[in-house]
C-alpha cells in the first residue's frame, strides 16, 4: 500500500518524503480546500523539482478540490502555464467540470477523485473510471466491508482512504456552518472549523418532552449568545459537532485486506513536526506489515504518535458507524514543541574556519577588555554577571563532536535537555554539556537562540538527514486539555 502524506508547503513536502511517504499531496493557491495552509506559489516549483530529483521514486499529487465557480475555472485557465512548471503526477478533484481541461493540458498526469465527491459505491467508481479517473479517494463514510465489495467489483481501479487525522462532522466534509457563521465557505477552502468551537446546550422555557427528539434542544456558541442551533437525536445518530480524529495504525492489515491501494494522512495545515512524526509512524507500521521490519522494532515509532498533537481517536466508519458518532472537545495538544530543524553537517574546512573565527573573536574581546581602565573593566565584568550574553566565548573544537547547521523555531538554550528525532531513530536525548549552540558567523558560543536566529548545533551525537529538535512544553499537563485557540 502507498503511504500518502500531507504537505502544506515545500518544507513539509521535504519532511514527508524524508520520513517515509511514498507520495505527498499539495495544494496550489486559490484552488485547494486548505487555503490557510501555506500551499505553493511563485517560484517554489523549482524547489519541488529539486526534491523530486532527490527522491525520484516518490510521487506528487496536487489537490484541486474546491467547488469551481465559472470565475474559478477562468482563473484556473489563466494559471495553466504556472501549473505546468510543477512535476505533478496526479490531480485530486471533486468537480468534474475541470476534468476535460486537465485531461487536455496534463495528459500524462493521473486523475484522482477527491473524497469531497462522496464516492461510496462501486457503480459510482465505474462511472469515474469511464471518465478517465485512475483512483478514487473514497468518502470517509465507507466501511471496510464496503471497500472490499467496491474493489471486487472494480479491481483495476485504485482505491485510497484516510488512515489518520482530523475528520469533519459533515457528510464528506461538505459543511455549511462556517459559511453561515463567518461567511467563510468550506467548499472554497476557507473553513473556520466552527465544529471545534465551544457551545452551550439550551432548551426552550416550557421544558422537554422526549427531549432528544423534540426539537427543544439547542446549542449556543460562546461568542454568539443570540444565535441558537437545534440539536436533533435520530434513530442512529446525534447531530452534535466536533468529531474525533481517525487513527487506523493498529488496523493496517484490515485496510490492506479490504483492497486499499493507498493510505492517506490528513493534515496539510499541520506542522512540520506532525507531518514527520505521523508519516514515520505509519511508514514503520507498514514496513512491519510487509515483513521489512519486526513488530517489536516498529512499536516505539508507533508509540510516538501520542507525542504528536491530536484529539481523542476513533476508527470512524470503518467497523461500526457508532464509532463515528462519538464526539470530543475541540482542542488538539502535544507534550512537545518543535524547537529547531537540523540541517546538513558542516564540512571539516568550514567548521575549522568557524572555530578559528571564534578563537580570534575571543582574543580580540579579551584584548579590548585588558586595554580598558581598571574601573571600566570592573564595571564591564560586573555587567557580564548580569548579562552573560555580552561575554564572548569561543566554541572549542572537541574530539568526536560534529557541527550541524540549524534553523531555530522556538527559544532554546544550552542548559536545556533536548531531544532529537529522525527518520532512522525514535528519539535521542541530549543533556546540557552534550551539545552547544554556535554562532556560525563568528564561531562564538550562544547562550540562547530563538526563531530566525542563525545557529549551529555542536554535539557528540551523529544526526541523520532531516533530524528535528524538540523540547518538552513546560505548560503541558497530562490529562489537561489546554485552550490552544481556533
Amino acid at each position: 500500500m502507498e503511504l500518502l502524506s500531507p504537505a502544506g508547503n515545500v518544507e513539509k513536502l521535504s519532511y514527508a518524503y524524508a520520513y517515509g511517504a511514498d507520495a505527498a499531496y499539495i495544494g496550489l493557491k486559490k484552488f485547494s480546500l486548505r487555503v490557510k495552509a501555506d500551499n505553493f506559489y511563485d517560484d517554489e516549483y523549482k524547489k519541488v523539482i529539486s526534491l523530486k530529483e532527490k527522491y525520484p521514486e516518490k510521487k506528487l499529487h496536487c489537490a484541486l478540490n474546491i467547488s469551481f465557480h465559472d470565475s474559478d475555472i477562468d482563473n484556473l485557465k489563466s494559471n495553466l502555464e504556472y501549473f505546468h512548471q510543477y512535476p505533478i503526477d496526479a490531480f485530486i478533484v471533486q468537480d468534474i467540470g475541470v476534468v476535460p481541461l486537465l485531461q487536455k493540458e496534463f495528459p500524462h498526469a493521473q486523475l484522482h477523485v477527491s473524497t469531497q465527491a462522496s464516492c461510496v459505491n462501486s457503480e459510482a467508481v465505474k462511472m469515474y473510471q469511464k471518465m478517465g479517473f485512475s483512483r478514487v479517494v473514497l468518502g470517509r463514510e465507507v466501511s471496510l466491508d464496503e471497500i472490499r465489495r467496491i474493489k471486487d467489483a472494480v479491481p483495476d481501479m485504485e482505491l485510497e482512504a484516510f488512515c489518520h487525522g482530523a475528520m469533519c462532522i459533515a457528510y464528506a466534509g461538505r459543511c455549511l456552518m462556517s459559511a453561515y457563521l463567518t461567511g467563510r465557505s468550506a467548499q472554497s477552502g476557507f473553513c473556520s472549523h466552527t465544529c471545534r468551537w465551544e457551545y452551550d446546550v439550551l432548551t426552550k422555557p416550557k421544558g422537554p418532552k422526549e427531549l432528544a427528539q423534540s426539537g427543544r434542544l439547542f446549542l449556543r456558541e460562546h461568542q454568539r449568545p443570540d444565535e441558537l442551533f437545534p440539536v436533533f437525536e435520530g434513530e442512529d445518530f446525534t447531530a452534535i459537532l466536533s468529531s474525533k480524529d481517525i487513527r487506523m495504525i493498529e488496523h493496517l492489515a484490515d485496510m490492506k485486506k479490504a483492497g486499499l491501494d493507498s493510505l492517506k494522512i490528513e493534515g496539510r495545515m499541520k506542522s512540520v513536526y506532525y507531518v514527520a512524526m505521523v508519516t514515520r509512524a505509519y511508514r514503520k507500521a507498514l514496513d512491519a506489515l510487509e515483513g521489512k521490519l519486526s513488530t517489536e522494532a516498529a512499536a516505539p515509532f508507533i508509540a510516538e504518535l501520542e507525542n504528536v498533537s491530536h484529539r481523542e481517536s476513533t476508527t470512524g466508519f470503518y467497523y461500526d458507524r457508532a464509532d463515528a458518532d462519538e464526539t470530543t472537545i475541540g482542542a488538539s495538544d502535544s507534550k512537545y514543541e518543535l524547537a529547531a530543524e537540523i540541517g546538513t553537517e558542516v564540512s571539516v574546512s568550514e567548521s575549522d574556519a568557524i572555530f578559528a573565527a571564534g578563537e580570534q573573536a575571543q582574543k580580540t574581546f579579551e584584548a579590548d577588555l585588558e586595554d580598558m581602565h581598571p574601573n571600566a573593566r570592573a564595571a564591564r565584568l560586573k555587567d557580564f554577571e548580569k548579562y552573560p550574553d555580552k561575554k564572548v566565548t569561543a566554541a572549542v573544537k572537541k574530539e568526536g563532536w560534529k557541527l550541524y547547521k540549524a534553523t531555530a523555531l522556538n527559544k532554546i538554550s544550552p542548559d536545556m535537555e533536548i531531544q532529537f528525532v529522525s527518520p532512522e531513530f525514535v528519539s535521542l536525548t541530549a543533556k546540557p554539556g552534550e551539545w552547544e549552540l554556535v554562532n556560525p558567523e563568528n564561531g562564538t558560543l550562544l547562550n540562547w537562540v530563538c526563531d530566525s536566529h542563525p545557529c549551529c548545533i555542536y554535539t557528540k551525537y551523529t544526526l541523520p538527514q532531516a533530524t528535528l529538535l524538540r523540547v518538552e512544553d513546560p505548560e503541558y499537563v497530562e490529562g489537561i486539555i489546554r485552550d490552544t485557540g481556533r
Side-chain angles (χ1 to χ4, degrees):
M1 289 186 292
E2 174 191 80
L3 179 60
L4 178 59
S5 293
N9 56 32
V10 173
E11 184 183 24
K12 294 173 188 177
L13 179 63
S14 68
Y15 281 97
Y17 285 159
Y19 277 72
D22 298 305
Y25 60 103
I26 68 173
L28 298 180
K29 287 292 185 184
K30 301 178 183 179
F31 302 105
S32 162
L33 284 183
R34 292 294 179 267
V35 293
K36 289 178 70 179
D38 293 341
N39 289 316
F40 292 73
Y41 53 92
D42 294 340
D43 63 349
E44 290 186 332
Y45 64 88
K46 297 177 182 177
K47 298 178 182 178
V48 177
I49 291 172
S50 178
L51 279 173
K52 286 276 284 180
E53 291 173 348
K54 182 178 181 180
Y55 300 101
E57 75 285 1
K58 297 182 184 288
K59 302 296 184 181
L60 181 69
H61 302 175
C62 178
L64 295 179
N65 53 352
I66 66 168
S67 295
F68 281 80
H69 293 264
D70 279 335
S71 59
D72 296 317
I73 292 180
D74 292 340
N75 194 19
L76 175 60
K77 291 178 179 178
S78 67
N79 281 275
L80 285 173
E81 184 177 348
Y82 174 67
F83 276 40
H84 277 293
Q85 297 177 106
Y86 281 85
I88 295 169
D89 296 297
F91 287 100
I92 308 168
V93 300
Q94 67 151 319
D95 193 326
I96 61 174
V98 299
V99 170
L101 179 63
L102 294 176
Q103 289 174 325
K104 176 184 176 182
E105 293 290 336
F106 304 91
H108 301 296
Q110 294 183 350
L111 289 179
H112 295 176
V113 180
S114 170
T115 189
Q116 300 290 127
S118 308
C119 186
V120 294
N121 66 76
S122 57
E123 295 305 317
V125 172
K126 292 175 184 177
M127 283 299 300
Y128 282 117
Q129 188 177 50
K130 291 177 181 177
M131 292 181 195
F133 285 88
S134 61
R135 178 183 295 186
V136 170
V137 187
L138 294 165
R140 301 188 197 188
E141 298 76 22
V142 70
S143 70
L144 290 178
D145 288 341
E146 290 171 322
I147 293 173
R148 181 70 265 172
R149 179 173 175 177
I150 292 170
K151 190 65 175 181
D152 288 342
V154 199
D156 52 347
M157 178 64 105
E158 292 183 358
L159 299 181
E160 177 181 309
F162 283 89
C163 64
H164 196 90
M167 289 202 305
C168 182
I169 199 68
Y171 192 88
R174 293 200 294 260
C175 179
L176 296 176
M177 282 191 65
S178 179
Y180 176 75
L181 286 177
T182 66
R184 291 165 49 183
S185 171
Q187 295 311 297
S188 295
F190 291 93
C191 182
S192 56
H193 298 278
T194 51
C195 60
R196 310 294 182 187
W197 296 357
E198 296 178 350
Y199 295 86
D200 295 316
V201 178
L202 307 175
T203 64
K204 291 184 177 180
K206 293 183 179 179
K209 179 181 179 182
E210 302 290 329
L211 180 60
Q213 297 179 337
S214 67
R216 296 194 180 104
L217 200 58
F218 293 85
L219 291 180
R220 181 176 64 193
E221 202 273 324
H222 282 190
Q223 295 186 23
R224 292 166 175 78
D226 297 327
E227 297 187 52
L228 305 182
F229 301 91
V231 177
F232 294 101
E233 175 77 19
E235 291 183 4
D236 58 357
F237 72 93
T238 302
I240 303 294
L241 305 177
S242 182
S243 59
K244 291 184 178 181
D245 288 357
I246 191 169
R247 171 178 165 140
M248 289 293 288
I249 199 163
E250 292 84 6
H251 309 283
L252 300 186
D254 288 348
M255 299 187 85
K256 183 176 182 178
K257 184 179 178 181
L260 287 169
D261 300 282
S262 179
L263 302 182
K264 190 170 194 172
I265 298 169
E266 181 275 337
R268 273 188 291 137
M269 291 174 62
K270 300 292 179 65
S271 66
V272 162
Y273 179 67
Y274 176 94
V275 171
M277 300 300 285
V278 176
T279 298
R280 187 182 71 169
Y282 276 84
R283 175 75 276 148
K284 301 300 183 182
L286 282 171
D287 286 350
L289 180 64
E290 296 168 0
K292 301 176 182 178
L293 187 70
S294 70
T295 302
E296 293 74 19
F301 293 96
I302 295 172
E304 280 288 322
L305 283 178
E306 294 301 316
N307 293 326
V308 181
S309 184
H310 65 282
R311 302 178 182 88
E312 293 179 286
S313 62
T314 177
T315 55
F317 292 86
Y318 287 124
Y319 293 103
D320 187 340
R321 296 179 69 90
D323 293 339
D325 288 340
E326 295 182 6
T327 57
T328 186
I329 53 178
S332 182
D333 211 351
S334 170
K335 66 181 293 186
Y336 290 104
E337 58 184 15
L338 182 61
E341 297 171 1
I342 308 300
T344 57
E345 182 180 350
V346 178
S347 67
V348 174
S349 59
E350 188 178 356
S351 61
D352 285 345
I354 291 174
F355 291 125
E359 182 179 4
Q360 183 58 49
Q362 183 170 338
K363 286 181 179 179
T364 301
F365 168 78
E366 291 173 348
D368 291 343
L369 196 62
E370 186 65 27
D371 288 342
M372 286 184 178
H373 185 278
N375 291 341
R377 184 166 58 250
R380 180 63 59 87
L381 292 173
K382 187 175 181 179
D383 188 51
F384 290 153
E385 293 177 4
K386 188 175 181 181
Y387 303 104
D389 292 354
K390 296 181 180 181
K391 189 175 181 180
V392 175
T393 303
V396 179
K397 191 172 184 179
K398 296 180 174 64
E399 185 67 29
W401 282 42
K402 298 180 176 65
L403 192 65
Y404 297 90
K405 296 176 182 178
T407 301
L409 302 173
N410 280 297
K411 185 176 180 179
I412 51 175
S413 57
D415 59 349
M416 297 173 64
E417 182 175 281
I418 62 175
Q419 286 190 10
F420 298 111
V421 295
S422 82
E424 299 179 17
F425 57 74
V426 179
S427 66
L428 190 159
T429 300
K431 297 181 179 180
E434 296 181 332
W435 67 287
E436 294 176 341
L437 284 171
V438 178
N439 186 333
E441 297 176 352
N442 60 16
T444 61
L445 293 177
L446 295 167
N447 290 310
W448 61 274
V449 294
C450 62
D451 187 16
S452 78
H453 282 209
C455 69
C456 287
I457 300 291
Y458 193 38
T459 180
K460 66 178 186 178
Y461 296 108
T462 299
L463 304 179
Q465 176 189 357
T467 295
L468 295 172
L469 189 163
R470 71 184 183 187
V471 296
E472 290 195 16
D473 186 340
E475 297 181 359
Y476 177 82
V477 179
E478 188 73 34
I480 303 296
I481 297 178
R482 297 175 292 177
D483 179 9
T484 54
R486 294 177 180 172

